[in-house]
Amino acid sequence: MSTFKIAIDGPAGAGKSTIAKKAAAQMDFVYIDTGAMYRAIGLAAVRQGLRPDSDISGIVDMLPDVNIDLAYGENGQEIFLNGENVSTEIRLPEISVAASDVSKIPEVRAKLLELQRSIAEKTDVIMDGRDIGTVVLPDAQLKIFLTASVEERARRRFEELKEKGIECDFEEVKRDMEYRDKNDSEREIAPLRPAEDSVVLDTTGNTLEQSVELILGLIKERREV
Ligand code: DC
C-alpha cells in the first residue's frame, strides 16, 4: 500500500514546523523537517571555513563526506551531522542564512532529494520545506502552502529565538528573513512557490490553534476521499 503524504511549503516563519508537528502527532504521521537538512549542510560548510554564498566548488567537494542522519524520539526529529547531534546548533541565525545559500547549489539539492524521498516511501509523512509539493513529493495527497506577512513572520521567529535563549535583534531577524525570502524564491532550481494543486493559507492574524484546526480539517477531509 502506498504511503499517505502531506506537503507543507512556505517562507520562513510562516508556522510550518509548529503546525506540522502538532498535526503529525494527532494523525500519527512522521514529521520531516527538510529545512534542518539544508541547515546541517550550511553548518558543515561554515565549520570548514567555506563561504556558503560563494565557495560553491568547495561545498560540492565536501558533500561526499557529509553524512546526515535523522532520529525520531521524544523531542521529535533530531538531526546528526557525521554522528554528532546538531539539532540545537543549526537554529542559530547565521546558519539560517547559510542554509538558504547552500540550498541554491544543485548538488546539495540532489543529495537531499534522495534522502527525503526515501523516507516518504516507507512511512506516512508530513514533510515541510520550500519545494515539497512542487519537486520532492509531487504526488502528495495534500499540499498546503502556508504564508503570512513578513512583519508577522519576523515577530514569530524573534519570539521563538528569544524563548530558546538565543540573543537577537528584531530588525536583524527581519532582514535575514527578507534575504532568505528573496534567495529562496528567486533561485533557479526548485524555487519557493505554491504547487498548482496546493491549498494556500495566509496565517497572518491567526492564532496557532486556529491554523492547526484548519489544517487538521483539511487532512481529515482528504483522507476520507
Ligand atoms: O525551513 P528552514 O527555515 O529551516 O529552512 C532553511 C533554509 O533551507 C531555507 O531558507 C531554504 C532551504 N530549504 C530549501 O531550499 N528547501 C527545502 N525543502 C527546505 C529548506
Side-chain angles (χ1 to χ4, degrees):
M1 213 181 80
S2 76
T3 53
F4 199 92
K5 305 178 193 77
I6 299 169
I8 304 192
D9 290 301
K16 300 184 297 292
S17 65
T18 318
I19 294 172
K21 249 184 247 168
K22 287 199 181 246
Q26 291 225 16
M27 307 296 299
D28 215 10
F29 278 36
V30 175
Y31 162 59
I32 314 285
D33 169 8
T34 63
M37 303 176 187
Y38 288 94
R39 287 169 180 269
I41 295 189
L43 175 64
V46 170
R47 281 185 175 177
Q48 295 214 4
L50 297 165
R51 286 202 47 174
D53 61 340
S54 53
D55 283 337
I56 313 299
S57 62
I59 293 170
V60 172
D61 289 346
M62 162 194 96
L63 286 178
D65 300 320
V66 173
N67 286 310
I68 292 175
D69 293 300
L70 302 174
Y72 295 92
E74 264 178 28
N75 302 329
Q77 174 181 291
E78 298 212 82
I79 187 153
F80 295 80
L81 171 63
N82 295 336
E84 175 191 347
N85 188 339
V86 291
S87 311
T88 305
E89 200 174 345
I90 56 164
R91 300 293 154 200
L92 292 172
E94 67 260 35
I95 304 303
S96 304
V97 173
S100 179
D101 285 332
V102 299
S103 76
K104 288 194 281 191
I105 305 172
E107 288 83 350
V108 169
R109 303 207 71 85
K111 179 178 174 107
L112 295 183
L113 179 64
E114 202 180 309
L115 177 62
Q116 292 155 5
R117 282 193 179 149
S118 72
I119 301 171
E121 264 168 30
K122 293 186 213 111
T123 176
D124 292 340
V125 291
I126 297 189
M127 192 177 277
D128 86 13
R130 303 291 187 285
D131 61 338
I132 310 306
T134 51
V135 177
V136 183
L137 305 176
D139 61 342
Q141 287 86 340
L142 175 62
K143 299 179 185 179
I144 294 168
F145 191 86
L146 268 189
T147 184
S149 71
V150 70
E151 197 70 29
E152 175 138 347
R153 290 187 286 116
R155 191 185 50 72
R156 290 179 190 167
R157 182 54 52 89
F158 175 69
E159 296 298 335
E160 209 177 282
L161 289 167
K162 237 177 37 185
E163 247 170 58
K164 286 187 183 154
I166 299 175
E167 245 182 74
C168 54
D169 167 75
F170 176 76
E171 287 307 321
E172 202 179 311
V173 171
K174 190 170 156 207
R175 241 189 343 264
D176 280 359
M177 204 156 262
E178 285 166 340
Y179 173 81
R180 287 208 285 150
D181 280 358
K182 189 167 155 52
N183 229 4
D184 298 347
S185 320
E186 293 182 359
R187 69 176 174 231
E188 251 168 65
I189 170 167
L192 169 67
R193 60 173 178 80
E196 270 172 28
D197 50 351
S198 64
V199 180
V200 179
L201 290 178
D202 188 328
T203 66
T204 312
N206 279 14
T207 63
L208 186 61
E209 288 69 29
Q210 286 169 327
S211 301
V212 172
E213 276 313 304
L214 256 171
I215 287 177
L216 282 175
L218 286 173
I219 299 173
K220 285 180 186 145
E221 208 180 275
R222 207 54 70 92
R223 287 198 94 186
E224 277 159 15
V225 179

